[in-house]
Amino acid sequence: QQPVQSPQAVILREGEDAVINCSSSKALYSVHWYRQKHGEAPVFLMILLKGGEQKGHEKISASFNEKKQQSSLYLTASQLSYSGTYFCGTVADSWGKLQFGAGTQVVVTP
Amino acid sequence: DGGITQSPKYLFRKEGQNVTLSCEQNLNHDAMYWYRQDPGQGLRLIYYSQIVNDFQKGDIAEGYSVSREKKESFPLTVTSAQKNPTAFYLCASSIGFETQYFGPGTRLLVL
């Protein structure tokens, strides 16, 4: 079942922060975060395994709440380059089939 | 350099025609996938393959076919049965539970 992402879209000024949420109704093995620029392929940002660990990629970090089956992606001090559509992918099956959310469009303005 | 290549970048299909999209990887990944993306939408899984000579249908397999004769290659054929093929097609590969890495994509348009 497809995970649910919120919000659908967010507009930020450079330097502002944002949070993108990804939730699932299933028990999860891992959560993957990707960013896609317009007309390009999705680019992997980070993977979180169950255990509640938090990871970071430059000023982008994420957490995974195993009990709530929810992951959050934090964009800190946003830069223009952060614009794009962010997808979460969740893995619940034993063989690792990713289910992608519908995406969150992020627009960072000067 | 290791990576995933897709060709062509743009493909035009005439009505009733079958077309084949190429996907090659030299990452030594066992698993390969095909996704379809419509404008402003997420990624929908068409087919996936975990090992050579084996593949499974994804969520939207109707009108598509695949083969996996070599570990490195996973071509996708869009058949004439696919009535609405216009989309961005993405190929990906992975090792087990690890991250999926995507190719640059093929944009398919109908003439």
Coordinates of all heavy atoms in Angstrom, one line a residue, chain A residues 29-30 32 34 36 39-42 44 47 87 91 93-102, chain B residues 33 35 37 40-43 45 48 50 59 88 90 96-104 107:
Chain A
Y29 N 10.2 -2.0 7.2 CA 11.5 -2.4 7.4 C 12.5 -1.2 7.2 O 13.5 -1.0 7.9 CB 11.9 -3.5 6.4 CG 13.3 -3.9 6.4 CD1 13.8 -4.8 7.3 CD2 14.2 -3.3 5.5 CE1 15.1 -5.2 7.4 CE2 15.5 -3.7 5.5 CZ 16.0 -4.6 6.4 OH 17.3 -5.0 6.5
S30 N 12.2 -0.4 6.2 CA 13.0 0.8 6.0 C 12.2 1.9 5.2 O 11.2 1.6 4.7 CB 14.2 0.4 5.1 OG 13.8 -0.1 3.8
H32 N 13.1 5.2 2.5 CA 14.0 5.8 1.6 C 13.5 7.1 1.1 O 12.3 7.3 0.9 CB 14.2 4.9 0.3 CG 14.6 3.5 0.6 ND1 15.6 2.8 -0.1 CD2 14.0 2.5 1.4 CE1 15.7 1.6 0.3 NE2 14.8 1.4 1.2
Y34 N 14.1 10.3 -1.7 CA 14.6 10.7 -3.0 C 14.2 12.1 -3.3 O 13.1 12.6 -2.8 CB 14.1 9.8 -4.1 CG 14.6 8.4 -4.1 CD1 14.0 7.5 -3.2 CD2 15.6 8.0 -4.9 CE1 14.5 6.1 -3.2 CE2 16.1 6.7 -4.9 CZ 15.5 5.8 -4.0 OH 15.9 4.5 -4.0
Q36 N 13.7 14.6 -6.8 CA 13.6 14.6 -8.2 C 13.5 16.1 -8.7 O 12.5 16.8 -8.3 CB 12.4 13.8 -8.7 CG 12.4 13.7 -10.2 CD 11.2 12.8 -10.7 OE1 10.2 12.7 -10.1 NE2 11.4 12.1 -11.9
G39 N 12.0 16.9 -14.8 CA 12.5 16.3 -16.1 C 13.7 15.3 -15.8 O 14.2 14.8 -16.8
E40 N 14.1 15.2 -14.6 CA 15.3 14.3 -14.3 C 14.8 13.1 -13.5 O 13.7 12.9 -13.1 CB 16.3 15.1 -13.5 CG 16.9 16.3 -14.3 CD 17.9 17.1 -13.5 OE1 18.3 16.6 -12.4 OE2 18.3 18.1 -13.9
A41 N 15.8 12.1 -13.3 CA 15.5 11.0 -12.5 C 15.6 11.3 -11.1 O 16.3 12.2 -10.7 CB 16.5 9.9 -12.9
P42 N 14.9 10.5 -10.2 CA 15.0 10.7 -8.8 C 16.4 10.4 -8.3 O 17.0 9.4 -8.8 CB 14.0 9.7 -8.2 CG 13.1 9.4 -9.3 CD 13.9 9.5 -10.6
F44 N 18.8 9.5 -5.0 CA 18.7 9.0 -3.6 C 19.3 10.0 -2.6 O 20.4 10.6 -2.9 CB 19.5 7.7 -3.5 CG 19.7 7.2 -2.2 CD1 18.7 6.6 -1.4 CD2 21.0 7.2 -1.6 CE1 18.9 6.1 -0.2 CE2 21.2 6.8 -0.3 CZ 20.2 6.2 0.4
I47 N 18.6 6.5 3.4 CA 17.8 5.4 3.8 C 17.8 5.3 5.3 O 18.8 5.6 6.0 CB 18.3 4.1 3.2 CG1 17.5 2.9 3.6 CG2 19.8 3.8 3.6 CD1 17.9 1.6 2.9
F87 N 10.3 12.4 -2.7 CA 9.5 11.2 -2.6 C 10.0 10.3 -1.4 O 11.2 10.2 -1.3 CB 9.6 10.3 -3.9 CG 8.9 10.9 -5.1 CD1 9.7 11.6 -6.0 CD2 7.6 10.8 -5.3 CE1 9.1 12.1 -7.1 CE2 7.0 11.3 -6.4 CZ 7.7 12.0 -7.3
V91 N 9.6 0.3 2.6 CA 9.8 -1.2 2.4 C 9.1 -1.9 3.5 O 9.5 -1.8 4.7 CB 11.3 -1.5 2.2 CG1 11.4 -3.0 2.1 CG2 11.9 -0.8 1.1
D93 N 7.8 -5.4 2.6 CA 7.9 -6.8 2.2 C 9.3 -7.4 2.5 O 10.3 -6.7 2.6 CB 7.7 -6.9 0.6 CG 6.3 -6.4 0.2 OD1 5.4 -6.4 1.1 OD2 6.2 -6.0 -0.9
S94 N 9.3 -8.7 2.5 CA 10.6 -9.4 2.8 C 11.6 -9.2 1.8 O 12.8 -9.2 2.1 CB 10.3 -10.9 3.0 OG 9.7 -11.4 1.9
W95 N 11.2 -9.0 0.5 CA 12.2 -8.9 -0.5 C 12.6 -7.4 -0.9 O 13.4 -7.2 -1.7 CB 11.8 -9.6 -1.8 CG 10.7 -8.9 -2.5 CD1 9.4 -9.1 -2.4 CD2 10.8 -7.9 -3.6 NE1 8.7 -8.3 -3.2 CE2 9.5 -7.6 -4.0 CE3 11.9 -7.3 -4.2 CZ2 9.3 -6.7 -4.9 CZ3 11.6 -6.4 -5.2 CH2 10.3 -6.1 -5.5
G96 N 12.0 -6.5 -0.2 CA 12.4 -5.1 -0.4 C 11.7 -4.3 -1.5 O 12.3 -3.4 -2.1
K97 N 10.5 -4.6 -1.8 CA 9.8 -3.9 -2.8 C 9.4 -2.5 -2.3 O 8.7 -2.3 -1.3 CB 8.5 -4.6 -3.2 CG 7.7 -4.0 -4.3 CD 6.4 -4.8 -4.6 CE 5.4 -4.1 -5.4 NZ 4.2 -4.9 -5.6
L98 N 9.9 -1.5 -3.0 CA 9.6 -0.1 -2.6 C 8.3 0.3 -3.0 O 7.9 0.1 -4.1 CB 10.7 0.8 -3.2 CG 11.9 1.3 -2.5 CD1 12.7 2.3 -3.3 CD2 11.6 1.9 -1.1
Q99 N 7.5 1.0 -2.1 CA 6.3 1.6 -2.5 C 6.5 3.1 -2.3 O 6.9 3.6 -1.2 CB 5.1 1.2 -1.5 CG 4.7 -0.3 -1.7 CD 3.8 -0.5 -2.8 OE1 3.4 0.4 -3.5 NE2 3.5 -1.8 -3.1
F100 N 6.3 3.9 -3.4 CA 6.6 5.3 -3.3 C 5.3 6.1 -3.0 O 4.2 5.8 -3.4 CB 7.1 5.8 -4.7 CG 8.5 5.4 -5.0 CD1 8.9 4.3 -5.7 CD2 9.6 6.2 -4.5 CE1 10.2 4.0 -5.9 CE2 10.9 5.9 -4.7 CZ 11.2 4.8 -5.4
G101 N 5.6 7.2 -2.2 CA 4.5 8.1 -2.0 C 4.3 9.0 -3.2 O 5.0 8.9 -4.2
A102 N 3.2 9.8 -3.1 CA 2.9 10.7 -4.3 C 3.8 11.8 -4.5 O 3.8 12.5 -5.5 CB 1.4 11.1 -4.1
Chain B
Y33 N 14.2 -2.8 -12.1 CA 12.8 -2.4 -12.0 C 12.4 -1.4 -13.1 O 13.3 -0.7 -13.6 CB 12.5 -1.6 -10.7 CG 13.1 -2.2 -9.4 CD1 14.5 -2.1 -9.1 CD2 12.3 -2.9 -8.5 CE1 15.0 -2.6 -8.0 CE2 12.8 -3.5 -7.4 CZ 14.2 -3.3 -7.1 OH 14.7 -3.8 -6.0
Y35 N 9.6 1.7 -13.8 CA 8.5 2.5 -13.3 C 8.0 3.4 -14.4 O 8.7 3.8 -15.3 CB 9.1 3.4 -12.2 CG 9.5 2.7 -10.9 CD1 10.8 2.3 -10.7 CD2 8.6 2.5 -9.9 CE1 11.2 1.6 -9.6 CE2 9.0 1.9 -8.7 CZ 10.3 1.4 -8.6 OH 10.7 0.8 -7.4
Q37 N 6.1 7.2 -14.8 CA 5.7 8.4 -14.1 C 4.9 9.3 -15.0 O 5.4 9.7 -16.1 CB 7.0 9.2 -13.6 CG 6.6 10.4 -12.7 CD 7.9 11.0 -12.1 OE1 8.9 11.1 -12.8 NE2 7.8 11.5 -10.9
G40 N 3.4 15.3 -12.9 CA 2.9 15.7 -11.6 C 2.5 14.5 -10.7 O 2.0 14.7 -9.6
Q41 N 2.9 13.3 -11.1 CA 2.5 12.1 -10.3 C 3.7 11.4 -9.8 O 4.9 11.7 -10.1 CB 1.7 11.1 -11.2 CG 0.5 11.7 -11.9 CD -0.6 12.1 -10.9 OE1 -0.9 11.4 -10.0 NE2 -1.1 13.3 -11.0
G42 N 3.4 10.4 -8.9 CA 4.5 9.6 -8.3 C 5.0 8.5 -9.3 O 4.7 8.5 -10.5
L43 N 5.7 7.6 -8.7 CA 6.2 6.5 -9.5 C 5.4 5.2 -9.3 O 5.1 4.8 -8.2 CB 7.7 6.2 -9.0 CG 8.6 7.3 -9.1 CD1 9.9 7.1 -8.3 CD2 9.0 7.6 -10.5
L45 N 5.1 1.1 -10.3 CA 5.9 0.0 -10.7 C 5.2 -0.8 -11.8 O 4.1 -1.2 -11.6 CB 6.1 -0.9 -9.4 CG 7.0 -2.1 -9.6 CD1 8.5 -1.7 -10.0 CD2 7.1 -2.9 -8.4
Y48 N 9.3 -5.9 -12.2 CA 10.6 -6.0 -11.5 C 11.1 -7.4 -11.7 O 10.4 -8.4 -11.9 CB 10.5 -5.6 -10.1 CG 9.5 -6.5 -9.2 CD1 10.0 -7.6 -8.5 CD2 8.2 -6.2 -9.1 CE1 9.2 -8.4 -7.7 CE2 7.3 -7.0 -8.4 CZ 7.8 -8.1 -7.7 OH 7.0 -8.8 -6.9
Q50 N 14.2 -10.0 -9.9 CA 15.2 -10.2 -8.8 C 16.4 -11.0 -9.3 O 17.5 -10.8 -8.8 CB 14.6 -10.9 -7.7 CG 13.5 -10.1 -6.9 CD 12.8 -10.8 -5.9 OE1 11.8 -11.4 -6.1 NE2 13.4 -10.9 -4.7
D59 N 2.4 -3.0 -10.3 CA 1.0 -2.6 -10.1 C 0.3 -2.3 -11.4 O -0.9 -2.2 -11.5 CB 1.1 -1.3 -9.2 CG 1.7 -1.6 -7.9 OD1 1.4 -2.6 -7.3 OD2 2.5 -0.7 -7.4
F88 N 6.9 9.2 -18.7 CA 8.3 9.2 -18.4 C 8.6 7.8 -17.8 O 8.0 7.5 -16.8 CB 8.7 10.3 -17.5 CG 10.1 10.6 -17.3 CD1 11.0 10.5 -18.3 CD2 10.6 10.9 -16.0 CE1 12.4 10.7 -18.1 CE2 12.0 11.2 -15.8 CZ 12.8 11.1 -16.8
L90 N 11.2 5.1 -16.1 CA 12.4 5.1 -15.3 C 12.8 3.6 -15.0 O 11.9 2.9 -14.6 CB 12.2 5.9 -14.0 CG 12.2 7.4 -14.2 CD1 11.5 8.0 -13.0 CD2 13.6 7.9 -14.4
G96 N 19.3 -6.3 -3.2 CA 18.4 -6.7 -2.1 C 17.7 -5.5 -1.5 O 16.9 -4.8 -2.2
F97 N 17.8 -5.3 -0.2 CA 17.1 -4.2 0.5 C 17.7 -2.8 0.3 O 17.3 -1.9 0.8 CB 17.0 -4.5 2.0 CG 16.2 -5.7 2.4 CD1 16.8 -6.8 3.0 CD2 14.9 -5.7 2.1 CE1 16.1 -7.9 3.3 CE2 14.1 -6.9 2.4 CZ 14.7 -7.9 3.0
E98 N 18.8 -2.8 -0.4 CA 19.6 -1.6 -0.5 C 18.8 -0.6 -1.4 O 17.8 -0.9 -2.0 CB 21.0 -1.9 -1.1 CG 21.8 -2.8 -0.2 CD 22.0 -2.2 1.2 OE1 22.3 -1.0 1.2 OE2 22.0 -2.9 2.2
T99 N 19.4 0.6 -1.5 CA 18.9 1.7 -2.3 C 18.7 1.3 -3.8 O 19.5 0.7 -4.4 CB 19.9 2.9 -2.2 OG1 20.1 3.2 -0.8 CG2 19.3 4.1 -2.9
Q100 N 17.6 1.8 -4.3 CA 17.4 1.7 -5.8 C 18.0 2.9 -6.4 O 17.8 4.1 -6.0 CB 15.9 1.7 -6.1 CG 15.3 0.4 -5.7 CD 13.8 0.3 -6.2 OE1 13.4 0.9 -7.2 NE2 13.1 -0.6 -5.6
Y101 N 18.8 2.7 -7.5 CA 19.5 3.7 -8.3 C 18.8 3.8 -9.6 O 18.5 2.8 -10.2 CB 20.9 3.5 -8.4 CG 21.7 3.6 -7.1 CD1 21.9 2.5 -6.3 CD2 22.1 4.8 -6.6 CE1 22.6 2.6 -5.1 CE2 22.8 4.9 -5.4 CZ 23.0 3.8 -4.7 OH 23.6 3.9 -3.5
F102 N 18.5 5.0 -10.0 CA 17.7 5.2 -11.2 C 18.5 5.6 -12.4 O 19.5 6.3 -12.3 CB 16.6 6.3 -11.0 CG 15.5 5.9 -10.1 CD1 15.6 6.0 -8.7 CD2 14.3 5.4 -10.7 CE1 14.6 5.6 -7.9 CE2 13.3 5.0 -9.9 CZ 13.4 5.1 -8.5
G103 N 18.1 5.2 -13.6 CA 18.7 5.7 -14.8 C 18.1 7.0 -15.2 O 17.2 7.5 -14.5
P104 N 18.5 7.7 -16.3 CA 18.1 9.0 -16.6 C 16.7 9.1 -17.2 O 16.1 10.2 -17.3 CB 19.1 9.5 -17.7 CG 19.6 8.2 -18.3 CD 19.6 7.2 -17.2
R107 N 11.5 9.3 -22.3 CA 10.2 10.0 -22.4 C 9.6 9.4 -23.7 O 10.1 9.6 -24.8 CB 10.4 11.5 -22.5 CG 9.1 12.3 -22.1 CD 9.5 13.7 -21.9 NE 10.3 14.0 -20.7 CZ 9.8 14.0 -19.5 NH1 8.5 13.8 -19.2 NH2 10.6 14.2 -18.5

